[in-house]
């Protein structure tokens, strides 16, 4: 991935120096932490688990600062975030006649307060619409390579782009519409979650296509790295690894094949209209 000429985003908060802190929506007990761990292995959307925390958000916040200038991983995510900002700003202006409002990206270790409850490293990267922030413990990138066997810098960029895709859904009102549908028809909650996640994958592919067309960021093998990551974190693959069998009705993110298919659709089309998973007759 070519990022030598990419700018670093100013929207990165570094909370790693503060260590794990519990905050957000009140106290999180050991039962909630265990639930979060189980949810991760069964492919449940982390934001759904986070929102189950009781009580209103507190004002407690871990100290945040700019990432150090000599931290290669922090520089990498800052540049990827900058690429998403530049790309989505252009898409919103040219395709939607709207102004893009960039999210913050928070680096943390262990646990950190969010507007959606307490974020846990074990739940992987996630987006919180309550504060418009993407949260990530950079140790996940080691897990992506070692546990999920999905190495490469563009595999990591795909993860960030996917979470930014959820921010785009929030800005476009898609997230609110889906939340309303979930409340009216709880039995469709998982199916709606799958369509949300696959659209975020499509948005990640769309970002890659547009960013490469504008600034030539892709190198040979990059797309394969992203497809490898999409395959590795499909619900069927994760369920097979954790419990030995697959239960499609419990999917919340989509199968490996579906995640690959929708990322490629965004990558090949370069069109936000082609990422309408909610109108698709089949996924």
């Amino acid at each position: 991935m070519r990022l030598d000429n990419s700018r670093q985003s100013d929207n990165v908060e570094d909370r790693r120096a503060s260590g794990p802190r519990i905050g957000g929506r009140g106290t999180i007990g050991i039962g909630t932490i265990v639930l979060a761990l189980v949810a991760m292995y069964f492919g449940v959307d982390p934001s759904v688990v986070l929102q189950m925390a009781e009580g209103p958000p507190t004002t407690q916040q871990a100290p945040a600062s700019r990432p150090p200038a000599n931290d290669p991983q922090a520089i990498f995510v800052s540049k990827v975030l900058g690429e998403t900002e530049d790309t989505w700003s252009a898409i919103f202006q040219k395709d939607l006649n709207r102004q893009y409002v960039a999210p913050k990206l928070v680096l943390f270790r262990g646990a950190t307060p969010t507007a959606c409850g307490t974020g846990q490293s074990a739940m992987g990267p996630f987006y919180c619409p309550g504060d418009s922030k993407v949260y990530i413990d950079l140790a996940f990138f080691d897990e992506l390579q070692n546990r999920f066997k999905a190495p490469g810098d563009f595999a990591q960029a795909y993860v960030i782009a996917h979470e930014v895709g959820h921010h785009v859904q929030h800005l476009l009102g898609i997230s609110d519409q889906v939340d309303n549908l979930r409340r009216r028809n709880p039995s469709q909650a998982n199916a709606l979650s799958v369509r949300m996640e696959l659209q975020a994958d499509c948005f990640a592919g769309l970002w890659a296509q547009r960013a490469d067309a504008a600034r030539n960021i892709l190198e040979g093998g990059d797309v394969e790295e992203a497809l490898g990551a999409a395959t590795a974190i499909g619900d069927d693959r994760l369920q097979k690894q954790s419990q030995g069998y697959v239960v499609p009705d419990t999917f919340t993110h989509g199968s490996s094949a579906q995640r690959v298919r929708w990322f490629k659709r965004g990558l090949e089309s370069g069109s936000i209209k082609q990422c309408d998973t909610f109108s698709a007759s089949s996924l």
Side-chain angles (χ1 to χ4, degrees), residues 7-262:
R7 66 175 183 84
Q8 293 188 51
S9 171
D10 293 326
N11 290 312
V12 178
E13 298 180 14
D14 193 349
R15 300 183 187 175
R16 293 174 296 173
S18 65
R21 294 184 62 179
I22 303 299
R25 298 189 182 210
T27 302
I28 299 298
I30 186 65
T32 304
I33 295 175
V34 170
L35 178 62
L37 292 171
V38 172
M40 176 192 71
Y41 284 110
F42 283 84
V44 175
D45 183 356
S47 66
V48 175
V49 179
L50 287 171
Q51 291 167 6
M52 292 173 63
E54 296 291 339
T58 69
T59 57
Q60 179 186 11
Q61 290 290 329
S65 61
R66 292 290 302 274
N70 60 348
D71 185 333
Q73 276 196 320
I75 292 172
F76 172 77
V77 297
S78 296
K79 287 191 172 187
V80 172
L81 187 64
E83 283 291 339
T84 66
E85 291 168 353
D86 293 344
T87 300
W88 281 111
S89 292
I91 292 173
F92 267 56
Q93 181 179 1
K94 296 177 181 178
D95 297 3
L96 304 173
N97 196 28
R98 295 181 53 173
Q99 183 176 358
Y100 179 69
V101 180
K104 297 282 187 179
L105 187 149
V106 178
L107 307 178
F108 73 99
R109 290 194 180 103
T112 193
T114 84
C116 298
T118 298
Q120 303 282 343
S121 297
M123 299 163 70
F126 63 93
Y127 172 72
C128 174
D131 53 23
S132 297
K133 293 180 179 181
V134 173
Y135 291 85
I136 184 169
D137 185 330
L138 293 180
F140 177 78
F141 288 156
D142 293 330
E143 190 174 17
L144 188 65
Q145 175 173 326
N146 299 320
R147 177 189 167 199
F148 296 111
K149 309 302 180 184
D153 56 359
F154 198 69
Q156 298 172 5
Y158 155 74
V159 170
I160 296 171
H162 173 91
E163 298 307 331
V164 171
H166 286 310
H167 177 65
V168 172
Q169 291 172 323
H170 176 56
L171 294 179
L172 296 179
I174 297 171
S175 302
D176 288 341
Q177 293 175 31
V178 170
D179 286 342
N180 290 333
L181 289 172
R182 283 170 173 161
R183 284 191 290 268
R184 292 203 302 265
N185 195 351
S187 66
Q188 293 299 309
N190 283 0
L192 289 167
S193 178
V194 168
R195 290 181 185 270
M196 280 279 288
E197 296 297 332
L198 294 179
Q199 185 177 60
D201 281 332
C202 189
F203 284 167
L206 167 60
W207 161 74
Q209 197 269 2
R210 293 288 191 96
D212 186 55
R215 290 173 292 280
N216 194 31
I217 67 168
L218 296 182
E219 297 179 303
D222 280 348
V223 172
E224 288 73 19
E225 290 175 3
L227 296 179
T231 299
I233 55 179
D235 283 329
D236 52 342
R237 177 74 66 90
L238 294 176
Q239 288 187 355
K240 187 69 174 179
Q241 290 175 346
S242 64
Q243 63 190 25
Y245 56 92
V246 175
V247 185
D249 287 345
T250 66
F251 286 1
T252 57
H253 285 64
S255 69
S256 296
Q258 289 171 331
R259 301 198 72 167
V260 166
R261 184 179 307 122
W262 281 96

